[in-house]
PDB file of all heavy atoms in Angstrom:
ATOM      1  N   GLY A   1       9.726  -1.673   5.290  1.00 98.00           N
ATOM      2  CA  GLY A   1       9.507  -2.884   6.090  1.00 98.00           C
ATOM      3  C   GLY A   1       7.973  -3.028   6.480  1.00 98.00           C
ATOM      4  O   GLY A   1       7.538  -4.142   6.990  1.00 98.00           O
ATOM      5  N   ARG A   2       7.200  -1.917   6.411  1.00 98.00           N
ATOM      6  CA  ARG A   2       5.790  -1.891   6.827  1.00 98.00           C
ATOM      7  C   ARG A   2       4.767  -1.707   5.784  1.00 98.00           C
ATOM      8  O   ARG A   2       3.740  -2.403   5.775  1.00 98.00           O
ATOM      9  CB  ARG A   2       5.628  -0.928   7.958  1.00 98.00           C
ATOM     10  CG  ARG A   2       6.475  -1.065   9.140  1.00 98.00           C
ATOM     11  CD  ARG A   2       6.079  -0.145  10.248  1.00 98.00           C
ATOM     12  NE  ARG A   2       6.241   1.232   9.988  1.00 98.00           N
ATOM     13  CZ  ARG A   2       5.292   2.169   9.870  1.00 98.00           C
ATOM     14  NH1 ARG A   2       3.945   1.805  10.180  1.00 98.00           N
ATOM     15  NH2 ARG A   2       5.453   3.372   9.565  1.00 98.00           N
ATOM     16  N   PHE A   3       5.145  -0.902   4.755  1.00 98.00           N
ATOM     17  CA  PHE A   3       4.279  -0.566   3.689  1.00 98.00           C
ATOM     18  C   PHE A   3       4.738  -1.178   2.367  1.00 98.00           C
ATOM     19  O   PHE A   3       6.092  -1.400   2.119  1.00 98.00           O
ATOM     20  CB  PHE A   3       4.225   0.991   3.484  1.00 98.00           C
ATOM     21  CG  PHE A   3       3.633   1.661   4.561  1.00 98.00           C
ATOM     22  CD1 PHE A   3       3.212   1.234   5.795  1.00 98.00           C
ATOM     23  CD2 PHE A   3       3.295   3.037   4.311  1.00 98.00           C
ATOM     24  CE1 PHE A   3       2.709   1.983   6.677  1.00 98.00           C
ATOM     25  CE2 PHE A   3       2.585   3.810   5.251  1.00 98.00           C
ATOM     26  CZ  PHE A   3       2.347   3.238   6.478  1.00 98.00           C
ATOM     27  N   THR A   4       3.807  -1.503   1.494  1.00 98.00           N
ATOM     28  CA  THR A   4       4.166  -2.079   0.162  1.00 98.00           C
ATOM     29  C   THR A   4       3.301  -1.383  -0.859  1.00 98.00           C
ATOM     30  O   THR A   4       2.151  -1.359  -0.838  1.00 98.00           O
ATOM     31  CB  THR A   4       3.856  -3.581   0.149  1.00 98.00           C
ATOM     32  OG1 THR A   4       4.601  -4.287   1.118  1.00 98.00           O
ATOM     33  CG2 THR A   4       4.285  -4.086  -1.208  1.00 98.00           C
ATOM     34  N   ILE A   5       4.016  -0.831  -1.866  1.00 98.00           N
ATOM     35  CA  ILE A   5       3.252  -0.290  -3.047  1.00 98.00           C
ATOM     36  C   ILE A   5       3.265  -1.274  -4.198  1.00 98.00           C
ATOM     37  O   ILE A   5       4.274  -2.117  -4.349  1.00 98.00           O
ATOM     38  CB  ILE A   5       4.002   1.053  -3.500  1.00 98.00           C
ATOM     39  CG1 ILE A   5       3.116   1.724  -4.500  1.00 98.00           C
ATOM     40  CG2 ILE A   5       5.495   0.715  -4.052  1.00 98.00           C
ATOM     41  CD1 ILE A   5       3.622   3.137  -4.898  1.00 98.00           C
ATOM     42  N   SER A   6       2.191  -1.312  -4.817  1.00 97.00           N
ATOM     43  CA  SER A   6       1.883  -2.241  -5.951  1.00 97.00           C
ATOM     44  C   SER A   6       0.992  -1.535  -7.012  1.00 97.00           C
ATOM     45  O   SER A   6       0.369  -0.487  -6.648  1.00 97.00           O
ATOM     46  CB  SER A   6       1.471  -3.582  -5.502  1.00 97.00           C
ATOM     47  OG  SER A   6       0.140  -3.357  -4.829  1.00 97.00           O
ATOM     48  N   ARG A   7       0.871  -2.326  -8.093  1.00 96.00           N
ATOM     49  CA  ARG A   7      -0.091  -1.670  -9.122  1.00 96.00           C
ATOM     50  C   ARG A   7      -0.673  -2.919  -9.875  1.00 96.00           C
ATOM     51  O   ARG A   7      -0.067  -3.942  -9.944  1.00 96.00           O
ATOM     52  CB  ARG A   7       0.586  -0.787 -10.000  1.00 96.00           C
ATOM     53  CG  ARG A   7       1.698  -1.466 -10.909  1.00 96.00           C
ATOM     54  CD  ARG A   7       2.625  -0.371 -11.578  1.00 96.00           C
ATOM     55  NE  ARG A   7       1.783   0.520 -12.438  1.00 96.00           N
ATOM     56  CZ  ARG A   7       2.181   1.633 -12.878  1.00 96.00           C
ATOM     57  NH1 ARG A   7       3.256   2.251 -12.418  1.00 96.00           N
ATOM     58  NH2 ARG A   7       1.464   2.285 -13.820  1.00 96.00           N
ATOM     59  N   ASP A   8      -1.880  -2.781 -10.334  1.00 94.00           N
ATOM     60  CA  ASP A   8      -2.548  -3.692 -11.101  1.00 94.00           C
ATOM     61  C   ASP A   8      -3.073  -2.917 -12.402  1.00 94.00           C
ATOM     62  O   ASP A   8      -4.065  -2.271 -12.380  1.00 94.00           O
ATOM     63  CB  ASP A   8      -3.721  -4.336 -10.428  1.00 94.00           C
ATOM     64  CG  ASP A   8      -4.428  -5.504 -11.323  1.00 94.00           C
ATOM     65  OD1 ASP A   8      -4.181  -5.597 -12.360  1.00 94.00           O
ATOM     66  OD2 ASP A   8      -5.123  -6.214 -10.676  1.00 94.00           O
ATOM     67  N   ASP A   9      -2.290  -3.137 -13.518  1.00 91.00           N
ATOM     68  CA  ASP A   9      -2.649  -2.355 -14.641  1.00 91.00           C
ATOM     69  C   ASP A   9      -3.928  -2.847 -15.359  1.00 91.00           C
ATOM     70  O   ASP A   9      -4.460  -2.142 -16.166  1.00 91.00           O
ATOM     71  CB  ASP A   9      -1.457  -2.430 -15.688  1.00 91.00           C
ATOM     72  CG  ASP A   9      -0.139  -1.720 -15.180  1.00 91.00           C
ATOM     73  OD1 ASP A   9      -0.284  -0.998 -14.246  1.00 91.00           O
ATOM     74  OD2 ASP A   9       0.966  -1.908 -15.924  1.00 91.00           O
ATOM     75  N   THR A  10      -4.339  -4.065 -15.173  1.00 92.00           N
ATOM     76  CA  THR A  10      -5.642  -4.454 -15.644  1.00 92.00           C
ATOM     77  C   THR A  10      -6.772  -3.801 -15.110  1.00 92.00           C
ATOM     78  O   THR A  10      -7.824  -3.686 -15.645  1.00 92.00           O
ATOM     79  CB  THR A  10      -5.750  -5.914 -15.531  1.00 92.00           C
ATOM     80  OG1 THR A  10      -5.886  -6.346 -14.167  1.00 92.00           O
ATOM     81  CG2 THR A  10      -4.603  -6.780 -16.226  1.00 92.00           C
ATOM     82  N   LYS A  11      -6.489  -3.246 -13.873  1.00 94.00           N
ATOM     83  CA  LYS A  11      -7.595  -2.539 -13.173  1.00 94.00           C
ATOM     84  C   LYS A  11      -7.424  -1.026 -13.038  1.00 94.00           C
ATOM     85  O   LYS A  11      -8.166  -0.300 -12.393  1.00 94.00           O
ATOM     86  CB  LYS A  11      -7.742  -3.093 -11.768  1.00 94.00           C
ATOM     87  CG  LYS A  11      -8.104  -4.478 -11.579  1.00 94.00           C
ATOM     88  CD  LYS A  11      -8.361  -5.061 -10.216  1.00 94.00           C
ATOM     89  CE  LYS A  11      -8.608  -6.479 -10.180  1.00 94.00           C
ATOM     90  NZ  LYS A  11      -8.747  -7.060  -8.733  1.00 94.00           N
ATOM     91  N   ASN A  12      -6.281  -0.592 -13.718  1.00 93.00           N
ATOM     92  CA  ASN A  12      -5.912   0.825 -13.579  1.00 93.00           C
ATOM     93  C   ASN A  12      -5.862   1.373 -12.171  1.00 93.00           C
ATOM     94  O   ASN A  12      -6.291   2.410 -11.780  1.00 93.00           O
ATOM     95  CB  ASN A  12      -6.868   1.702 -14.467  1.00 93.00           C
ATOM     96  CG  ASN A  12      -6.838   1.469 -15.955  1.00 93.00           C
ATOM     97  OD1 ASN A  12      -5.778   0.883 -16.464  1.00 93.00           O
ATOM     98  ND2 ASN A  12      -7.907   1.862 -16.660  1.00 93.00           N
ATOM     99  N   THR A  13      -5.234   0.516 -11.305  1.00 95.00           N
ATOM    100  CA  THR A  13      -5.291   0.873  -9.924  1.00 95.00           C
ATOM    101  C   THR A  13      -3.894   0.587  -9.306  1.00 95.00           C
ATOM    102  O   THR A  13      -3.273  -0.385  -9.624  1.00 95.00           O
ATOM    103  CB  THR A  13      -6.249  -0.078  -9.214  1.00 95.00           C
ATOM    104  OG1 THR A  13      -7.530   0.241  -9.803  1.00 95.00           O
ATOM    105  CG2 THR A  13      -6.331   0.351  -7.747  1.00 95.00           C
ATOM    106  N   ALA A  14      -3.462   1.551  -8.421  1.00 97.00           N
ATOM    107  CA  ALA A  14      -2.323   1.375  -7.552  1.00 97.00           C
ATOM    108  C   ALA A  14      -2.734   1.119  -6.146  1.00 97.00           C
ATOM    109  O   ALA A  14      -3.883   1.646  -5.717  1.00 97.00           O
ATOM    110  CB  ALA A  14      -1.482   2.702  -7.687  1.00 97.00           C
ATOM    111  N   TYR A  15      -1.916   0.510  -5.414  1.00 98.00           N
ATOM    112  CA  TYR A  15      -2.229   0.285  -3.971  1.00 98.00           C
ATOM    113  C   TYR A  15      -1.163   0.579  -3.056  1.00 98.00           C
ATOM    114  O   TYR A  15       0.037   0.666  -3.385  1.00 98.00           O
ATOM    115  CB  TYR A  15      -2.538  -1.238  -3.822  1.00 98.00           C
ATOM    116  CG  TYR A  15      -3.602  -1.818  -4.714  1.00 98.00           C
ATOM    117  CD1 TYR A  15      -3.337  -2.399  -5.973  1.00 98.00           C
ATOM    118  CD2 TYR A  15      -4.965  -1.784  -4.420  1.00 98.00           C
ATOM    119  CE1 TYR A  15      -4.267  -2.898  -6.863  1.00 98.00           C
ATOM    120  CE2 TYR A  15      -5.925  -2.324  -5.215  1.00 98.00           C
ATOM    121  CZ  TYR A  15      -5.581  -2.826  -6.433  1.00 98.00           C
ATOM    122  OH  TYR A  15      -6.550  -3.400  -7.224  1.00 98.00           O
ATOM    123  N   LEU A  16      -1.443   0.825  -1.835  1.00 98.00           N
ATOM    124  CA  LEU A  16      -0.582   0.946  -0.714  1.00 98.00           C
ATOM    125  C   LEU A  16      -1.024   0.037   0.421  1.00 98.00           C
ATOM    126  O   LEU A  16      -1.957   0.337   1.084  1.00 98.00           O
ATOM    127  CB  LEU A  16      -0.357   2.433  -0.295  1.00 98.00           C
ATOM    128  CG  LEU A  16       0.604   2.626   0.853  1.00 98.00           C
ATOM    129  CD1 LEU A  16       2.056   2.375   0.190  1.00 98.00           C
ATOM    130  CD2 LEU A  16       0.599   4.070   1.399  1.00 98.00           C
ATOM    131  N   GLN A  17      -0.338  -1.061   0.612  1.00 98.00           N
ATOM    132  CA  GLN A  17      -0.650  -1.855   1.640  1.00 98.00           C
ATOM    133  C   GLN A  17       0.147  -1.481   2.931  1.00 98.00           C
ATOM    134  O   GLN A  17       1.343  -1.389   2.883  1.00 98.00           O
ATOM    135  CB  GLN A  17      -0.261  -3.374   1.407  1.00 98.00           C
ATOM    136  CG  GLN A  17      -0.470  -4.318   2.516  1.00 98.00           C
ATOM    137  CD  GLN A  17      -1.970  -4.567   2.811  1.00 98.00           C
ATOM    138  OE1 GLN A  17      -2.807  -4.812   1.945  1.00 98.00           O
ATOM    139  NE2 GLN A  17      -2.281  -4.546   4.169  1.00 98.00           N
ATOM    140  N   MET A  18      -0.502  -1.047   4.030  1.00 98.00           N
ATOM    141  CA  MET A  18       0.083  -0.582   5.149  1.00 98.00           C
ATOM    142  C   MET A  18      -0.113  -1.541   6.350  1.00 98.00           C
ATOM    143  O   MET A  18      -1.217  -1.779   6.702  1.00 98.00           O
ATOM    144  CB  MET A  18      -0.570   0.895   5.493  1.00 98.00           C
ATOM    145  CG  MET A  18      -0.463   1.691   4.370  1.00 98.00           C
ATOM    146  SD  MET A  18      -1.090   3.369   4.889  1.00 98.00           S
ATOM    147  CE  MET A  18      -2.764   2.954   5.168  1.00 98.00           C
ATOM    148  N   ASN A  19       0.978  -2.056   6.896  1.00 98.00           N
ATOM    149  CA  ASN A  19       0.935  -3.020   8.080  1.00 98.00           C
ATOM    150  C   ASN A  19       1.655  -2.358   9.162  1.00 98.00           C
ATOM    151  O   ASN A  19       2.466  -1.463   9.045  1.00 98.00           O
ATOM    152  CB  ASN A  19       1.644  -4.389   7.608  1.00 98.00           C
ATOM    153  CG  ASN A  19       0.840  -5.091   6.464  1.00 98.00           C
ATOM    154  OD1 ASN A  19      -0.282  -4.927   6.308  1.00 98.00           O
ATOM    155  ND2 ASN A  19       1.717  -5.749   5.624  1.00 98.00           N
ATOM    156  N   SER A  20       1.457  -2.974  10.319  1.00 98.00           N
ATOM    157  CA  SER A  20       2.054  -2.479  11.545  1.00 98.00           C
ATOM    158  C   SER A  20       1.956  -1.000  11.727  1.00 98.00           C
ATOM    159  O   SER A  20       2.912  -0.315  12.041  1.00 98.00           O
ATOM    160  CB  SER A  20       3.507  -2.941  11.540  1.00 98.00           C
ATOM    161  OG  SER A  20       3.738  -4.298  11.454  1.00 98.00           O
ATOM    162  N   LEU A  21       0.764  -0.504  11.531  1.00 98.00           N
ATOM    163  CA  LEU A  21       0.511   0.881  11.572  1.00 98.00           C
ATOM    164  C   LEU A  21       0.825   1.587  12.926  1.00 98.00           C
ATOM    165  O   LEU A  21       0.578   0.929  13.981  1.00 98.00           O
ATOM    166  CB  LEU A  21      -0.961   1.164  11.170  1.00 98.00           C
ATOM    167  CG  LEU A  21      -1.194   1.196   9.584  1.00 98.00           C
ATOM    168  CD1 LEU A  21      -2.609   1.060   9.330  1.00 98.00           C
ATOM    169  CD2 LEU A  21      -0.537   2.394   8.926  1.00 98.00           C
ATOM    170  N   LYS A  22       1.311   2.766  12.919  1.00 98.00           N
ATOM    171  CA  LYS A  22       1.629   3.501  14.135  1.00 98.00           C
ATOM    172  C   LYS A  22       0.946   4.699  14.163  1.00 98.00           C
ATOM    173  O   LYS A  22       0.472   5.327  13.146  1.00 98.00           O
ATOM    174  CB  LYS A  22       3.229   3.824  14.076  1.00 98.00           C
ATOM    175  CG  LYS A  22       4.104   2.553  13.985  1.00 98.00           C
ATOM    176  CD  LYS A  22       5.596   3.033  13.927  1.00 98.00           C
ATOM    177  CE  LYS A  22       6.537   1.808  13.679  1.00 98.00           C
ATOM    178  NZ  LYS A  22       7.939   2.297  13.495  1.00 98.00           N
ATOM    179  N   PRO A  23       0.699   5.302  15.355  1.00 98.00           N
ATOM    180  CA  PRO A  23      -0.021   6.531  15.397  1.00 98.00           C
ATOM    181  C   PRO A  23       0.664   7.669  14.598  1.00 98.00           C
ATOM    182  O   PRO A  23      -0.195   8.558  13.933  1.00 98.00           O
ATOM    183  CB  PRO A  23       0.124   6.962  16.965  1.00 98.00           C
ATOM    184  CG  PRO A  23       0.190   5.619  17.681  1.00 98.00           C
ATOM    185  CD  PRO A  23       0.962   4.766  16.732  1.00 98.00           C
ATOM    186  N   GLU A  24       1.917   7.710  14.422  1.00 97.00           N
ATOM    187  CA  GLU A  24       2.610   8.674  13.567  1.00 97.00           C
ATOM    188  C   GLU A  24       2.367   8.449  12.150  1.00 97.00           C
ATOM    189  O   GLU A  24       2.663   9.244  11.205  1.00 97.00           O
ATOM    190  CB  GLU A  24       3.992   8.729  13.757  1.00 97.00           C
ATOM    191  CG  GLU A  24       4.730   7.328  13.763  1.00 97.00           C
ATOM    192  CD  GLU A  24       4.991   6.677  15.099  1.00 97.00           C
ATOM    193  OE1 GLU A  24       4.049   6.729  15.926  1.00 97.00           O
ATOM    194  OE2 GLU A  24       6.014   6.196  15.319  1.00 97.00           O
ATOM    195  N   ASP A  25       1.602   7.439  11.668  1.00 98.00           N
ATOM    196  CA  ASP A  25       1.265   7.244  10.334  1.00 98.00           C
ATOM    197  C   ASP A  25      -0.045   8.043  10.037  1.00 98.00           C
ATOM    198  O   ASP A  25      -0.472   8.095   8.929  1.00 98.00           O
ATOM    199  CB  ASP A  25       0.955   5.864  10.042  1.00 98.00           C
ATOM    200  CG  ASP A  25       2.306   4.963  10.028  1.00 98.00           C
ATOM    201  OD1 ASP A  25       3.277   5.428   9.623  1.00 98.00           O
ATOM    202  OD2 ASP A  25       2.276   3.766  10.610  1.00 98.00           O
TER     203      ASP A  25
END
């Protein structure tokens, strides 16, 4: 519910979008 993993194969890149970050992250 807070993080989203994705990939863009045209850029050979994976991503991790991190929202609502907490100190324990």
